[in-house]
């Protein structure tokens, strides 16, 4: 599978939201979109299975403080201030 860094692939495109379904690679994807995330601070919507602590630490370091976990699934929506 070919991969790309979202910061390079999307350039300066405006980003309102980022939806991820990447089977455990959420943190790697977010790191690859760090410039876009820092600049646009989009709504993030993703599924997670386990090992949430490093993901939450990264999100908080990038200004994402709110979260909502759906009780029937492992889907999380996070937003900044």
């Amino acid at each position: 599978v070919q991969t790309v860094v979202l910061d390079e692939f999307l350039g300066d495109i405006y980003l309102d939201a980022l939806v991820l379904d990447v089977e455990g690679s959420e943190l790697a994807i977010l790191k690859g979109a760090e410039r876009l995330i820092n600049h646009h601070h989009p709504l993030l919507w993703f599924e997670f299975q386990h090992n949430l602590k490093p993901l939450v630490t990264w999100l908080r370091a990038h200004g994402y403080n709110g979260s909502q976990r759906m009780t029937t699934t492992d889907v999380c929506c996070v937003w900044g201030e």
Side-chain angles (χ1 to χ4, degrees):
V1 174
Q2 181 181 359
T3 61
V4 297
V5 176
L6 289 177
D7 279 342
E8 295 171 7
F9 185 74
L10 296 177
D12 290 327
I13 191 169
Y14 183 76
L15 195 63
D16 283 325
L18 185 59
V19 179
L20 305 175
D21 186 3
V22 292
E23 304 298 327
S25 297
E26 293 81 14
L27 187 54
I29 300 295
L30 294 174
K31 286 179 178 180
E34 190 166 12
R35 184 181 50 78
L36 286 166
I37 289 169
N38 286 335
H39 185 70
H40 301 291
H41 215 69
L43 173 76
L44 302 175
W45 187 272
F46 56 88
E47 175 184 33
F48 61 90
Q49 299 295 323
H50 53 277
N51 202 15
L52 189 59
K53 188 174 180 175
L55 183 59
V56 170
T57 299
W58 191 92
L59 290 166
R60 287 189 177 148
H62 289 81
Y64 287 88
N65 300 312
S67 68
Q68 179 177 359
R69 182 169 181 206
M70 306 303 176
T71 57
T72 57
T73 63
D74 289 327
V75 175
C76 185
C77 178
V78 297
W79 59 92
E81 294 181 312

